[in-house]
Amino acid sequence: MSTKTVPGNYFEDFSVGQEIRHATPRTVTEGDVALYTALYGSRFAATSAATFAEAIGFAAPPVDSLLAFHLVFGKSVPDISLNAVANLGYAGGRFGAPLVVGDTVLTTSTVIGLKENSNGRTGVVYVNSVGVNQRGEMVVDYVRWVMVHKKDPASPAPETVVPELPGAVAAEDLVVPFALTGRDYDTVLAGSPFLWDDYEVGEQIDHVDGMTIEESEHMLATRLYQNTAKVHFNQHAQAAAKIGRRLIYGGHIISLARALSFNGLANGQMIAAINAGAHANPTFAGDTIYAWSEVLERLELPGRTDVGVLRLRRVETQDAPRAEFPGKDGDGTYLPQVVLDLDYTVLMPRRG
């Protein structure tokens, strides 16, 4: 048989310090933006209307922060997680130059940790992935960890290296790509009268609405991001592995809940950081996703009085539509209805 095809990396193919330049640069088109909107129905004004974006100081209308994240993430999948069991979590994610239509994004990943699991058949790979635009400007920089199959369970375990994961991104390290000084911010067009000043630490927000996942939408989404992981695409492989069903890409859940969060956080125009996140339980087609948020911190930006920072915890649940849902039981274990626990930061206008 020909050896020209690529089976993807297995756990034993990775080494700490390994740098991988990922193939297939991606130029963002109007079609990408339209399809993303069709998939999630996001209503944030800055990414929905060029006129609104320009009115608040963007040089060009930005694409949704998470579309940028998914395009960067998708580049890494054929090399990092084609043979994954599941993506497990994120840390230290920071958004940089806003991605706009016409920009081309490229991704490079560095392996920063390895840990074989006790079953000897899988291991966890920690990577730092960085996406840049055609000018070399950072678009997204984040750490993730993913459980990957071993090709040969008998192969020796590598030295365990578990990296110290970065904590929440500090306010002074955030990139703020728009400015409101001297500009009128239209809360009616934005969809909510509540600005940064109106939120309190500890406040919980039930985003109320639910969205049911359809198999066709998930498949379109993973293709849009060129995410080739077998667990999302290959029903035959999932059946052979006795899993039975294709898993929904975790990023699909993040985008669904971001769209739902408009109801309560409509003025959180841009995501500035993904501080931490855990995929607590798998999601499948037919599940209905609900979300609620808790305000963890309300921070000022150094030298800025026009925009503030809200650090949020957002819990996404499957078929569990209530804000008081705790997420974890008494011993700290995630309840089965919790599919994602995400710590992230948004930029929100302040009152003048």
Side-chain angles (χ1 to χ4, degrees):
M1 295 292 289
S2 170
T3 58
K4 292 185 173 65
T5 55
V6 179
N9 290 315
Y10 290 87
F11 179 71
E12 57 263 52
D13 296 320
F14 294 100
S15 58
V16 174
Q18 178 182 3
E19 184 176 281
I20 303 171
R21 295 178 63 212
H22 302 297
T24 319
R26 178 68 174 270
T27 299
V28 184
T29 70
E30 293 281 4
D32 294 323
V33 175
L35 183 51
Y36 186 87
T37 303
L39 287 166
Y40 305 109
S42 180
R43 293 181 283 159
F44 293 94
T47 54
S48 296
T51 51
F52 192 96
E54 291 162 4
I56 65 172
F58 280 101
V63 307
D64 193 285
S65 305
L66 290 176
L67 175 56
F69 174 81
H70 296 319
L71 293 177
V72 170
F73 184 104
K75 300 296 94 190
S76 72
V77 170
D79 298 309
I80 303 298
S81 46
L82 183 66
N83 296 307
V85 179
N87 194 54
L88 300 178
Y90 314 93
R94 191 165 65 95
F95 290 83
L99 201 61
V100 302
V101 170
D103 278 350
T104 298
V105 65
L106 307 92
T107 306
T108 301
S109 295
T110 303
V111 180
I112 60 173
L114 293 169
K115 182 180 183 296
E116 183 170 290
N117 291 328
S118 58
N119 62 19
R121 298 189 298 273
T122 60
V124 178
V125 181
Y126 298 82
V127 296
N128 177 202
S129 295
V130 181
V132 299
N133 62 21
Q134 69 275 15
R135 293 179 295 277
E137 299 166 331
M138 185 272 287
V139 173
V140 188
D141 180 342
Y142 66 98
V143 171
R144 72 162 168 142
W145 51 105
V146 56
M147 188 186 304
V148 180
H149 288 290
K150 291 182 70 175
K151 185 174 184 179
D152 178 8
S155 63
E159 178 184 358
T160 295
V161 176
V162 177
E164 183 176 347
L165 297 174
V169 179
E172 58 266 26
D173 294 329
L174 299 174
V175 175
V176 185
F178 63 98
L180 298 173
T181 303
R183 301 172 184 269
D184 291 327
Y185 183 83
D186 193 328
T187 56
V188 174
L189 292 182
S192 170
F194 302 115
L195 299 176
W196 177 85
D197 315 71
D198 301 313
Y199 292 87
E200 300 292 338
V201 173
E203 180 180 356
Q204 289 193 0
I205 304 160
D206 185 350
H207 300 303
V208 181
D209 307 302
M211 198 179 300
T212 302
I213 300 171
E214 303 292 346
E215 193 77 76
S216 58
E217 293 167 358
H218 167 247
M219 296 303 291
L220 279 172
T222 47
R223 290 175 184 138
L224 175 66
Y225 315 135
Q226 297 172 325
N227 180 338
T228 57
K230 295 175 185 176
V231 292
H232 307 318
F233 277 114
N234 194 326
Q235 181 63 44
H236 178 257
Q238 288 295 88
K242 302 190 185 306
I243 297 171
R245 301 178 67 187
R246 287 168 288 174
L247 301 180
I248 302 300
Y249 163 48
H252 190 64
I253 306 301
I254 296 175
S255 281
L256 284 176
R258 166 68 173 165
L260 294 173
S261 75
F262 178 88
N263 192 350
L265 290 165
N267 287 307
Q269 294 292 350
M270 301 293 291
I271 297 177
I274 296 176
N275 304 300
H279 290 291
N281 289 290
T283 311
F284 301 96
D287 291 346
T288 298
I289 299 301
Y290 294 88
W292 58 272
S293 296
E294 179 182 359
V295 180
L296 299 178
E297 291 185 280
R298 197 182 72 171
L299 304 171
E300 296 187 358
L301 286 162
R304 300 290 294 265
T305 59
D306 58 331
V307 180
V309 172
L310 286 183
R311 181 180 165 206
L312 303 163
R313 178 196 182 201
R314 192 176 70 214
V315 176
E316 282 99 80
T317 57
Q318 175 253 322
D319 297 342
R322 58 187 189 277
E324 65 272 16
F325 189 78
K328 296 182 180 182
D329 62 17
D331 65 1
T333 303
Y334 281 107
L335 297 170
Q337 296 93 333
V338 176
V339 295
L340 183 75
D341 192 345
L342 190 70
D343 177 334
Y344 73 115
T345 299
V346 299
L347 303 172
M348 185 175 287
R350 298 175 62 172
R351 296 197 182 280

